[in-house]
């Protein structure tokens, strides 16, 4: 999704937001690590799904509270962008943080779908979204809806690799393609919300 332009009249906020522009490599690493850790916790380390939902609920409440505070008070927003300059994104200046959407989507898929479908959606988000962003920014030239051809292709490949841990290859291909097209579509919703839900829903419909 495209980032919104910085239009704040606060020079301190403008300065703080400006420092978060660019490829943001640590943001991509953090993004991939979060989803991967959730999957590992629920598979390798045996964390029960209800416990994971409880933890994510607490994280969601804390993240949402911070969002409300900073969006209501420019001074808090400045502190947010300065403290998380290596993780924040310019589009978060006047919107909920991606971490809030990330926690919400993980919570929803774990609460609604089977464990394997939920984890598939979370891992696709963790791996494919950063891949699409990096490839699209650095090498994407031909536009495809709200993304680029190469970025969308990178998303599909990374998504396929993630999905193969959970479902047969035919279902993985379908879900990867659907998610890649949804990620590139000009829908005014955060990718962190729509990608896991799209993947889990697609896998559910395929298996029905």
């Amino acid at each position: 999704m495209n980032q919104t332009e910085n239009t704040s009249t606060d020079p301190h906020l403008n300065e703080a937001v400006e420092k978060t522009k660019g490829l943001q490599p640590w943001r991509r690493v953090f993004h991939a690590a979060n989803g991967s850790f959730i999957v590992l916790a629920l598979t390798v380390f045996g964390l029960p799904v209800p416990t994971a939902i409880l933890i994510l609920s607490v994280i969601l409440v804390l993240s949402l509270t911070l969002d409300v505070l900073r969006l209501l008070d420019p001074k808090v927003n400045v502190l947010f962008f300065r403290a998380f300059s290596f993780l924040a994104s310019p589009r978060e200046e006047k919107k909920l943080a991606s971490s809030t959407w990330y926690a919400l989507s993980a919570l929803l898929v774990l609460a609604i779908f089977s464990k394997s479908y939920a984890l598939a959606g979370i891992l696709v988000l963790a791996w494919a979204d950063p891949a699409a962003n990096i490839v699209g920014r650095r090498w994407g030239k031909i536009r495809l809806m709200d993304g680029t051809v190469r970025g969308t292709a990178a998303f599909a490949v990374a998504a396929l690799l993630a999905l193969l841990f959970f479902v047969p290859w035919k279902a993985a291909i379908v879900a990867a393609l659907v998610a890649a097209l949804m990620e590139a579509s000009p829908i005014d919703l955060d990718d962190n919300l729509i990608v896991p839900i799209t993947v889990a829903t697609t896998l559910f419909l395929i298996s029905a």
Side-chain angles (χ1 to χ4, degrees):
M1 303 297 176
N2 289 332
Q3 293 182 341
T4 57
E5 293 295 328
N6 176 22
T7 58
S8 173
T9 57
D10 186 330
H12 298 292
L13 182 56
N14 287 339
E15 180 184 1
V17 172
E18 189 68 26
K19 293 180 179 179
T20 67
K21 292 182 178 180
L23 192 59
Q24 302 169 296
W26 286 112
R27 177 181 170 88
R28 311 305 162 196
V29 172
F30 186 72
H31 183 103
N34 278 340
S36 299
F37 180 76
I38 292 173
V39 172
L40 286 174
L42 284 158
T43 53
V44 177
F45 302 128
L47 181 71
V49 171
T51 303
I53 291 175
L54 177 61
I55 294 172
L56 287 168
S57 297
V58 173
I59 293 174
L60 176 60
V61 170
L62 294 174
S63 184
L64 187 58
T65 300
L66 175 57
D67 279 337
V68 172
L69 289 174
R70 69 180 181 82
L71 293 176
L72 291 175
D73 189 341
K75 292 182 180 179
V76 178
N77 213 9
V78 171
L79 291 175
F80 170 82
F81 275 92
R82 286 177 176 173
F84 301 103
S85 59
F86 62 104
L87 295 177
S89 169
R91 70 182 178 183
E92 297 170 340
E93 178 192 345
K94 296 182 179 181
K95 295 183 177 182
L96 297 181
S98 294
S99 57
T100 303
W101 293 115
Y102 205 124
L104 176 60
S105 67
L107 174 62
L108 287 175
V109 293
L110 285 171
I112 297 173
F113 298 96
S114 67
K115 180 179 176 179
S116 60
Y117 292 172
L119 294 183
I122 293 171
L123 196 60
V124 167
L125 174 64
W127 291 4
D129 199 49
N133 197 285
I134 293 172
V135 173
R137 282 174 176 268
R138 299 199 65 174
W139 299 288
K141 296 180 180 179
I142 302 174
R143 300 297 301 177
L144 177 63
M145 294 187 286
D146 206 34
T148 67
V149 172
R150 291 181 178 179
T152 301
F155 184 103
V157 171
L160 177 61
L161 293 176
L163 283 159
L164 288 174
F165 284 103
F166 302 99
V167 296
W169 66 270
K170 290 183 179 179
I173 290 175
V174 174
L177 292 175
V178 172
L181 291 175
M182 184 63 73
E183 191 272 341
S185 64
I187 299 175
D188 192 22
L189 288 173
D190 196 285
D191 293 343
N192 293 300
L193 176 65
I194 65 173
V195 168
I197 294 175
T198 297
V199 171
T201 300
T202 301
L203 293 175
F204 174 78
L205 293 176
I206 290 174
S207 65

